């Protein structure tokens, strides 16, 4: 966790992610990234120059019209002393039963974001922390490049004026392999996804291609991210206080 905390602190300082007095909602899906983010932000409070509060929020899409089992996440939050909110939704029904989406990830992500933003604000949070790691940054950049022809990515920090909330990504400099290692080392209670589209997405294809390239050409991912930073794609090369979300 020390390496992750070092990179988290670097991201916080470089992109001005956390200020004194912040009330931060942490989006917790139950996957490795969100659980590592939750634990890292909890530990970072011990030496962060800015004092902040955390609230963990899970948006339950209710796959198969059934409540998800997040009892292990509830126990972790209790151990960390972090309030935990589970927000049940009809996202799965809307995406798979009503809309019958052939490519469900885009709509699902949009509905989850809306539910997260609303829930965070209703619990008095001014910031929402998402668990995107450095591999996610690179994958999103390549997916936008190859699928839409745009040189863009989500940003390390984004202000959403319609919701009056700031989205931050404190794990944005952490490689996925470090996240996986930390989740295993700390025995974090990963909740297995019940989504029928899990592991069958364009993102998964992009991830597998990137990992293949990294195995044959070590440093491949780092060079792509370095190019993004040097070109300041979506603000990755500079610190910024406020930026409107564009993707």
């Amino acid at each position: 966790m020390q390496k992750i905390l070092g990179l988290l602190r670097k991201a916080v300082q470089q992109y001005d992610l956390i200020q004194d007095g912040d009330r931060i909602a942490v989006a917790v899906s139950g996957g490795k990234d969100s659980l590592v983010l939750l634990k890292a932000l909890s530990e970072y409070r011990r030496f962060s120059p800015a004092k902040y509060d955390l609230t963990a929020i899970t948006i339950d899409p209710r796959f198969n019209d059934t409540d998800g089992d997040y009892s292990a996440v509830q126990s972790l939050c209790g151990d960390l002393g972090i309030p935990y909110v589970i927000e049940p939704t009809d996202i799965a029904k809307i995406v798979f039963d009503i809309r019958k989406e052939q490519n469900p990830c885009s709509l699902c992500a949009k509905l989850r974001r809306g539910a997260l933003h609303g829930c965070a604000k209703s619990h008095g949070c001014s910031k929402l922390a998402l668990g995107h790691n450095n591999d996610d940054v690179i994958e999103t950049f390549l997916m936008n490049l190859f699928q839409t022809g745009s040189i863009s990515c989500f940003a390390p920090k984004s202000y959403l004026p319609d919701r009056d909330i700031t989205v931050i990504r404190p794990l944005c400099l952490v490689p996925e392999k470090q996240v996986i290692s930390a989740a295993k080392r700390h025995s974090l209670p990963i909740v297995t996804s019940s989504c029928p589209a899990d592991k069958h997405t364009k993102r998964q294809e992009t991830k597998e291609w990137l990992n293949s390239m990294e195995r044959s050409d070590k440093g491949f991912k780092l060079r792509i991210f370095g190019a993004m930073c040097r070109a300041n794609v979506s603000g990755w090369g500079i610190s910024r206080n406020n930026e409107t979300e564009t993707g």
Side-chain angles (χ1 to χ4, degrees):
M1 187 60 75
Q2 289 305 311
K3 289 183 179 179
I4 287 178
L5 287 174
L7 290 170
L8 184 148
R9 176 164 58 181
K10 180 179 179 181
V12 167
Q13 294 173 346
Q14 183 169 339
Y15 299 114
D16 192 27
L17 301 184
I18 298 175
Q19 284 79 42
D20 201 47
D22 276 347
R23 299 186 66 180
I24 303 173
V26 184
V28 179
S29 66
K32 66 183 189 313
D33 299 294
S34 63
L35 293 176
V36 168
L37 173 64
L38 184 67
K39 184 168 179 60
L41 282 175
S42 177
E43 293 195 13
Y44 183 60
R45 286 190 295 185
R46 292 187 289 107
F47 56 90
S48 169
K51 305 306 176 186
Y52 57 91
D53 294 324
L54 297 172
T55 297
I57 296 177
T58 292
I59 301 300
D60 184 1
R62 301 187 73 249
F63 293 108
N64 302 314
D65 213 21
T66 303
D67 291 343
D69 181 4
Y70 299 99
S71 54
V73 178
Q74 182 102 47
S75 295
L76 174 64
C77 289
D79 292 341
L80 296 175
I82 297 174
Y84 183 43
V85 178
I86 301 175
E87 183 83 0
T89 71
D90 292 321
I91 290 176
K93 179 183 290 186
I94 293 170
V95 173
F96 292 102
D97 299 336
I98 298 175
R99 293 282 294 270
K100 300 184 186 299
E101 292 285 319
Q102 295 300 309
N103 297 297
C105 296
S106 179
L107 177 59
C108 183
K110 181 178 181 180
L111 294 174
R112 280 177 182 262
R113 283 197 301 269
L116 273 170
H117 299 159
C119 191
K121 289 296 292 183
S122 70
H123 285 84
C125 297
S126 58
K127 286 185 176 173
L128 173 65
L130 303 181
H132 295 110
N133 59 55
N134 192 247
D135 287 53
D136 293 323
V137 177
I138 300 166
E139 289 162 15
T140 301
F141 169 71
L142 290 179
M143 289 170 67
N144 287 346
L145 179 64
F146 294 138
Q147 294 179 33
T148 69
S150 63
I151 299 177
S152 63
C153 185
F154 53 68
K157 178 181 179 181
S158 307
Y159 176 64
L160 310 181
D162 57 331
R163 292 285 188 170
D164 188 29
I165 195 166
T166 299
V167 177
I168 61 174
R169 296 174 167 91
L171 296 185
C172 63
L173 300 181
V174 181
E176 185 175 38
K177 63 182 180 182
Q178 289 188 19
V179 174
I180 294 171
S181 177
K184 291 179 179 177
R185 188 165 56 252
H186 293 278
S187 301
L188 296 179
I190 295 174
V191 178
T192 302
S193 175
S194 299
C195 177
D198 190 41
K199 306 300 183 185
H200 301 284
T201 63
K202 287 294 184 182
R203 180 170 293 277
Q204 184 64 28
E205 291 178 13
T206 304
K207 182 186 297 291
E208 291 172 2
W209 179 78
L210 269 171
N211 287 337
S212 174
M213 292 300 297
E214 181 68 25
R215 285 192 296 271
S216 62
D217 184 5
K218 188 173 176 59
F220 183 78
K221 294 179 185 178
L222 187 60
R223 291 194 295 275
I224 293 177
F225 185 64
M228 290 177 61
C229 291
R230 287 188 293 276
N232 193 27
V233 173
S234 300
W236 283 101
I238 58 172
S239 302
R240 55 194 194 167
N241 293 326
N242 285 313
E243 182 69 25
T244 300
E245 181 74 82
T246 57

